[in-house]
Amino acid sequence: MEATMGNRAVVYQGPGRVAVQDIDYPAYEVKDGPGVNKMNVGRRTPHGAILKTVTTNICGSDQHMVRGRTTAPEGLVLGHEITGEVVDVGSDVEFVRVGDIVSVPFNIACGRCRNCKEGKTGVCLNVNPDRPGSAYGYVDMGGWVGGQAEYVMVPYADWNLLRFPDRDQALEKILDLTMLSDIFPTGYHGCVSAGVTTGSTVYIAGAGPVGLAAATSAFLLGAAVVIVGDLNEERLAQARSFGCETVNVSRGEPVDQVQQILGRAAPAIGQALVDCAVDAVGFEARGHGQDAQVEKPATVLNSLMDLTRAGGAIGVPGLYVTGDPGGVDDAAKVGSLSLRLGLGWAKSHSFVTGQCPVMKYNHGLMMAILHDRVQIAKNVNATPIPLDQAPQGYLEFDQGAARKYVIDPHGMVRR
């Protein structure tokens, strides 16, 4: 098959530039290339499967690399949000079958190490020689080839792949199901980490796709009020379209606007504080009010400690990095932020950070989609585009489009 099949993919070409290029058809061996850890070169993967990509999404995390805000090398094949059709399986694969339509968790996990066995698949110990945790097409994640491509290889296929029960049903709901690879579980994890439950009041920083997925998840978990804060009015309108309250943080610190929203439902003493908060922004955060166009990477986390009631929790699915060449100062360039940790300590806040362990949630969220309990594609404004339009999709997303761009390499998305 490899000798007769071609492959094309979205490739990072330097700050602000991506292009669709020819790349090798996937093989059951890790080959040398941009971003590939030398200790992974030559690693054989008979436990893997080759997928024909049905959908693969542009993620805000990809944008950090494309903006030049990480140490990603030029030539890196992008893409970690993958849904596909199995077209070939390795010799060690036992349960996955050719023809299956599957979701690929963005975390690459072995299923064998201590962390995987404890359900901490976001920090697998065996797939990335640099550090625990890995992902497709991402800087410092081991060098596994990205999935914004026509074909991709998924290692440890029996462990990693989530098979959809019915092919026709899956293709009918593919724009919803494609969100299972990352943003829906990530938003849900942020809410679960923050303790969202029946009757909760929730503040979500960021109205990008992960923030909108978190807002969707908060309603699914039973929240009474979901407030989304952002600078982008188009994205805030998208949040309002499915019942969220919104705060435009360019008008000042969000606490006053939150207080007005909660009104008489607020605590009897002190400011009107939310029960739970989620940071869906990450390290490229901007300031509030007159500083709205100025990058201030600790702004969101500090404001969430201010907004969240004593004893509450803060989920942090927003990405923070250890290397940021474009950081605003020397501290930010290595991920050191000026946090008001004393405030969080005084209020007995709890924080949960790190990659979402997608496998912990993806089956349950799949069932919610298949049984029409949630409309995640509508809520994040999923917008399919062909592979050749990926560079334009990156540009529009970077400019703040209130859309979740879904790349459709083979024209399999039913419109």
Side-chain angles (χ1 to χ4, degrees):
M1 182 183 293
E2 185 175 346
T4 60
M5 298 292 289
N7 196 15
R8 299 166 70 235
V10 181
V11 178
Y12 172 61
Q13 294 190 316
R17 294 182 292 121
V18 300
V20 178
Q21 297 180 358
D22 292 331
I23 65 168
D24 291 340
Y25 188 82
Y28 296 114
E29 180 180 334
V30 179
K31 299 178 180 180
D32 199 5
V36 179
N37 187 289
K38 298 306 179 185
M39 294 178 66
N40 262 354
V41 175
R43 182 172 181 164
R44 296 187 180 277
T45 58
H47 43 69
I50 294 174
L51 306 186
K52 176 183 178 179
T53 303
V54 177
T55 53
T56 176
N57 314 326
I58 298 175
C59 180
S61 298
D62 298 321
Q63 288 285 18
H64 293 307
M65 289 189 292
V66 172
R67 292 186 191 117
R69 297 299 299 269
T70 71
T71 55
E74 293 182 16
L76 185 73
V77 178
L78 299 170
H80 57 271
E81 299 190 10
I82 309 162
T83 305
E85 177 184 5
V86 178
V87 294
D88 193 66
V89 296
S91 59
D92 288 354
V93 175
E94 187 174 358
F95 304 111
V96 171
R97 299 283 184 266
V98 171
D100 287 346
I101 305 294
V102 294
S103 178
V104 184
F106 80 89
N107 328 102
I108 302 172
C110 72
R112 296 152 167 79
C113 70
R114 175 181 177 179
N115 282 351
C116 283
K117 289 178 180 180
E118 292 178 356
K120 301 170 184 174
T121 54
V123 281
C124 173
L125 301 174
N126 288 331
V127 289
N128 182 4
D130 283 325
R131 61 182 181 183
S134 188
Y136 304 88
Y138 212 84
V139 59
D140 296 332
M141 289 292 184
W144 301 90
V145 176
Q148 288 175 10
E150 292 175 327
Y151 297 90
V152 65
M153 192 279 294
V154 175
Y156 305 102
D158 282 329
W159 168 252
N160 281 305
L161 295 179
L162 173 68
R163 177 183 173 275
F164 300 138
D166 182 88
R167 178 188 177 90
D168 289 339
Q169 184 187 33
L171 293 174
E172 190 175 296
K173 293 180 175 289
I174 200 67
L175 284 180
D176 291 287
L177 293 170
T178 192
M179 305 306 163
L180 292 173
S181 59
D182 183 357
I183 68 161
F184 197 9
T186 293
Y188 193 85
H189 177 61
C191 289
V192 170
S193 301
V196 178
T197 187
T198 305
S200 295
T201 55
V202 187
Y203 180 84
I204 295 167
V210 170
L212 297 174
T216 301
S217 300
F219 284 124
L220 193 59
L221 288 163
V225 182
V226 178
I227 306 169
V228 178
D230 203 288
L231 304 163
N232 183 317
E233 274 296 341
E234 185 182 0
R235 289 181 170 179
L236 290 175
Q238 184 64 28
R240 288 192 294 271
S241 74
F242 59 97
C244 301
E245 302 285 347
T246 60
V247 164
N248 189 327
V249 296
S250 69
R251 299 173 186 167
E253 291 298 327
V255 65
D256 292 336
Q257 296 175 68
V258 169
Q259 196 167 17
Q260 292 175 9
I261 290 167
L262 294 181
R264 297 173 67 179
I269 58 173
Q271 292 179 316
L273 304 179
V274 293
D275 298 314
C276 322
V278 176
D279 174 4
V281 176
F283 72 104
E284 287 192 68
R286 307 248 173 191
H288 295 158
Q290 63 183 10
D291 292 329
Q293 300 307 314
V294 179
E295 188 169 316
K296 293 196 170 184
T299 297
V300 169
L301 288 171
N302 285 331
S303 70
L304 296 190
M305 286 186 277
D306 192 31
L307 277 167
T308 305
R309 68 176 178 86
I314 298 169
V316 190
L319 176 67
Y320 289 87
V321 294
T322 56
D324 174 12
V328 294
D329 52 38
D330 289 341
K333 289 177 181 178
V334 294
S336 294
L337 308 182
S338 298
L339 296 179
R340 294 188 63 196
L341 190 58
L343 175 61
W345 189 94
K347 296 175 77 172
S348 294
H349 286 158
S350 60
F351 301 79
V352 176
T353 65
Q355 287 188 28
C356 163
V358 170
M359 274 194 244
K360 184 175 181 179
Y361 308 108
N362 63 354
H363 184 273
L365 295 176
M366 174 188 75
M367 295 300 287
I369 289 169
L370 294 180
H371 292 277
D372 299 318
R373 298 301 180 192
V374 66
Q375 293 181 304
I376 183 65
K378 178 182 177 182
N379 289 1
V380 302
N381 197 15
T383 304
I385 57 175
L387 182 65
D388 287 327
Q389 287 184 18
Q392 183 64 26
Y394 268 95
L395 178 62
E396 292 176 7
F397 188 39
D398 189 49
Q399 292 172 342
R403 298 174 181 273
K404 175 67 172 177
Y405 286 102
V406 177
I407 300 172
D408 175 16
H410 297 281
M412 297 179 71
V413 175
R414 297 174 182 174
R415 293 173 171 83

